[in-house]
Amino acid sequence: MPRYYEDLEIGETYETGGYTVTKEEIIEFAEQFDPQPFHLDEEAARDSMFGELVASGLHTLCLSVRLFVTEIVNGEVDIANMGGLGMDDLRWHEPVRPGETLRVRVEVVGKTPSTSRSDRGYVDFRRSVVNDADEEVMSILSHNIVRRTDAAD
Amino acid sequence: MPRYYEDLEIGETYETGGYTVTKEEIIEFAEQFDPQPFHLDEEAARDSMFGELVASGLHTLCLSVRLFVTEIVNGEVDIANMGGLGMDDLRWHEPVRPGETLRVRVEVVGKTPSTSRSDRGYVDFRRSVVNDADEEVMSILSHNIVRRTDAAD
C-alpha cells in the first residue's frame, strides 16, 4: 500500500543508502548536460576555483533525485507521488569529487491540501545530500504533488 | 575575450537555438535519474495526471542547462563563469512531450560583488524554457559565480 498525502507527517525523516560517483560518470554527465572545463578535464580543472575535477552540481542534484525516487518514493516509504511542482533553495555547499559516496536525508517539512483538486495535496521535502565525511554538499526544498487516499478508492 | 562580471549588465537578454527531445531520450534519462512510471512507459503514463508520457522535469532542467552552457556561457556571449552557487524558484509550468523543441531565454536580473573575494562577483540569471508554441514550460533563477576583469590580469 502506498502512503498517500494524509499518511505523511511533518517531521518524518528518511535516509537513503549510498551511491559512489566515478570520474567516468562525472565526465560523461558533464559532456551531456554541463560541458564546463572543471567538470570535463583534470588538467583544466587545476586552473579553476575548485583546483581539481569536480562533479557538475546538476549531476549531484540528479543523483540525489535518483536516490530519493528509487529508495524513498518507489522504495520502502512508497509515496503516492503524482509529479513535481518545483524546487527552491538549491545550494551547493561543497564540491563533489570522483570516488565520493553520497547519501540523501529527507524530511517532510510542509503539507498543503489543493484547493482546486480534491484528489491531491502538496508536500514539501527538505533534502540534504551528504558525503563520506558526513558534510552537507547540497541542500534543496522540493514541492511534490501527492495523491490523497480517497482519490485511490 | 570572455565577458567578465563587470561586462554583464542587468536587463541583458539572450536566447538559445532549439533542442528537440525524443521519446528515447526521455525514457533513457528517466531510467537513470527519475524512474517514475509516467516518465518511463506510455501505458502507465495514461493512468497518471499527465495522461501521456512526459519528460522528467529534471530532464527539462538538464536540457536547459545544456543549452545555456553550450550556447551562452561557452558560446556567443562567452561568460567567465567560475561555477554555480545554487538555484531558486524552479517551477514546471507545462509538461514536455516527446518531439517538442525547447529554447531558453535568459535575462541578467542581479549582480552582487563578493565581499570576501576580490576576483569574483555573483550574477543572477532568470531562465525561461519555452516550447514550439512559445508556452513557458519551466522557469528558474540561477546564481552564478563570475570572474572579475582584474582577476584575469
Side-chain angles (χ1 to χ4, degrees), chain A residues 36 66 81 88 90-91, chain B residues 32 36 81 87-88 91:
Chain A
Q36 300 191 80
R66 173 206 189 106
N81 184 50
D88 277 293
L90 170 57
R91 292 295 178 277
Chain B
Q32 231 186 324
Q36 300 193 80
N81 185 50
M87 299 187 184
D88 278 292
R91 292 295 179 275

Side-chain angles (χ1 to χ4, degrees), chain A residues 3-11 14 68 79-88 107-126 141-149, chain B residues 49-50 91-93:
Chain A
R3 300 190 70 206
Y4 296 99
Y5 175 77
E6 296 89 335
D7 303 323
L8 297 168
E9 284 177 32
I10 290 175
Y14 328 114
F68 179 62
I79 297 169
N81 184 50
M82 297 172 76
L85 271 185
M87 299 185 183
D88 277 293
E107 180 177 356
V108 177
V109 295
K111 285 178 67 176
T112 317
S114 168
T115 50
S116 57
R117 308 269 201 148
S118 62
D119 67 342
R120 65 191 68 174
Y122 306 109
V123 179
D124 299 323
F125 296 96
R126 169 74 55 193
L141 180 66
S142 79
H143 312 294
N144 287 66
I145 308 167
V146 178
R147 191 180 293 277
R148 295 182 73 110
T149 313
Chain B
M49 71 170 183
F50 304 108
R91 292 295 179 275
W92 294 295
H93 307 290

Side-chain angles (χ1 to χ4, degrees), chain A residues 32-36 38 49 61-62 65-66 69 74 81-82 84-92 145, chain B residues 32-36 38 49 61-62 65-66 69-70 74 81-82 84-92 145:
Chain A
Q32 231 185 321
F33 297 119
D34 192 3
Q36 300 191 80
F38 34 89
M49 71 170 183
L61 173 64
C62 286
V65 172
R66 173 206 189 106
V69 168
N74 294 353
N81 184 50
M82 297 172 76
L85 271 185
M87 299 185 183
D88 277 293
D89 301 339
L90 170 57
R91 292 295 178 277
W92 294 293
I145 308 167
Chain B
Q32 231 186 324
F33 297 118
D34 191 3
Q36 300 193 80
F38 33 89
M49 71 170 183
L61 173 64
C62 286
V65 171
R66 172 206 189 106
V69 168
T70 57
N74 293 353
N81 185 50
M82 296 172 77
L85 271 185
M87 299 187 184
D88 278 292
D89 301 340
L90 171 57
R91 292 295 179 275
W92 294 295
I145 307 167

Side-chain angles (χ1 to χ4, degrees), chain B residues 48-63:
Chain B
S48 76
M49 71 170 183
F50 304 108
E52 62 189 315
L53 186 83
V54 298
S56 164
L58 192 65
H59 193 187
T60 305
L61 173 64
C62 286
L63 292 174

